[in-house]
Amino acid sequence: MRKLFVIALFACYVIAGWAQENNYTVSCDITPVANYFLKRGDTIASFCLADFATKEPITEKSSYREPKFSFSGKVETPLIASLQLEMKMKGGVRTLGYFFFLEPGNIVFKIDDKLQNTAEGTPLNDVFFGALKERYQVYQAGEKEKTQKMAKDYILQHKNDLTAVMTLSYLKQDTKDDAKNVLSIIGQCNDKVQQHLITKRLAEQMNIKMAGPAIGDKFKDFAVEYDGQTHRLSDYVGKGNYVLVDFWASWCGPCRAGVPHVIALYEKYKDKNFTALGVAVNDKPEKTLEAAKNLKIPYPLILNTELIATNLYDFNAIPYYILFSPDGTILTRGNNFGEAKAKLEEIFGE
C-alpha cells in the first residue's frame, strides 16, 4: 500500500510539474494555405512560433509533415505571436507570418479558404478576431468610413490591452491629418500599448508623415551615389523651372505605361521654363537605363535611389508624380498624373 501511495504521489508531482511548465496549447489547422501552395508547386519546409514584433523564435523549428499540428508551452504574460511558415518557392525561400495573441488557455488557430487567419478560445483572441470579423462585414457592405469609427472605438475601449496595438494598424494612414489622428489615438492608450514595439514603429512612421513635405511646402532634397558621382534632386528642382518628377521603376507596368504621357508633356512645355525628371525607385540602374532607352526618355534621370525618395516623400505606390514650382514649392503630388497635367495647362494657359 505504501509503495502504491509513493507511486501515486510521484505521479501527482509529475502532473503538477507539467502544469507549471505549460499553460497554453495552440492547435493549428492550415489546410487551405497548404493546398494553395501545393497547387503552385511550392512546399512548406518548417514552422515555428515567433514574437510578431521582434521575429525572435518562441519555439524551435519543426519539420512540416501535415497541416494539423499543435504547440504547448508557458507564457508569463500575453504577447503578440506569429505562426511562421518557412516556404520553399520557385524564387527561393520565403517566410510567411500569421499573427495571433499567445496567452494561457487552449487556442484554436485556423487559416480559411481566403488565406486569412483567425484564432479563438482565449479572451484576447476571441474579442479581437470577433471585432475584426464585424468590421470586415461592414467594409464589404461598402461602409468604409464606418469601419474607421469602429476601429477607433474599439481601440479606446481596449486601450489597456494588446489588441489595441494590432487594431491601430487598421486606421487610415494616408495623409497628414490621418497621421495626426493616429498619434492622437495612440496618446489615449495606456503605457503598455504606447511602449509596445509595434506601436512605437507606427508612431515613428506617423511622425515622418507629419514632417514630410506636402502641397505648399518646399521640396526636401536627397542625394544618391551612382557611377562615382553624387546626384541630387536639387540639381533640377528649385532652379527656376517647373519640374514634373516621375517616380518610377523599370519593373512596374503602370510606370512604363505612364512614361509616354510624361514625355508628351515634356515635349509640349520644354521651351516654357519646364522640364521633367525621372527618379528610379527600388530599381537596378542597368534595368532603369535599359527601360529608358527602350522608352526613348529624353529628359534626365536620377538612378539608384532605392527607397530614399519614397521614404522622404512618404508614398508606397508608383508611378508617383510631384510637380514643383520654379522655387521648389510642391504644387501637386499623388498617383494621379491628370492632376499634374491639369495644373500645367492652368499655368501655361492651355
Side-chain angles (χ1 to χ4, degrees), residues 93-144:
V93 177
R94 180 183 173 191
T95 300
L96 302 181
Y98 299 87
F99 82 88
F100 66 100
F101 299 93
L102 188 62
E103 57 185 329
N106 297 315
I107 301 167
V108 178
F109 177 97
K110 295 181 180 179
I111 297 178
D112 62 24
D113 292 334
K114 296 180 180 178
L115 305 186
Q116 301 295 317
N117 70 284
T118 60
E120 60 185 20
T122 56
L124 294 180
N125 286 301
D126 286 346
V127 69
F128 176 85
F129 286 101
L132 182 61
K133 182 178 180 181
E134 289 180 10
R135 291 202 304 275
Y136 181 72
Q137 290 172 343
V138 172
Y139 182 87
Q140 287 293 92
E143 300 182 73
K144 296 181 181 180

Side-chain angles (χ1 to χ4, degrees), residues 137-163:
Q137 290 172 343
V138 172
Y139 182 87
Q140 287 293 92
E143 300 182 73
K144 296 181 181 180
E145 290 302 318
K146 185 176 179 180
T147 64
Q148 288 295 298
K149 183 179 186 306
M150 292 172 69
K152 178 180 178 180
D153 290 346
Y154 179 93
I155 293 166
L156 297 181
Q157 291 166 9
H158 295 267
K159 59 186 179 182
N160 299 324
D161 69 62
L162 285 181
T163 64

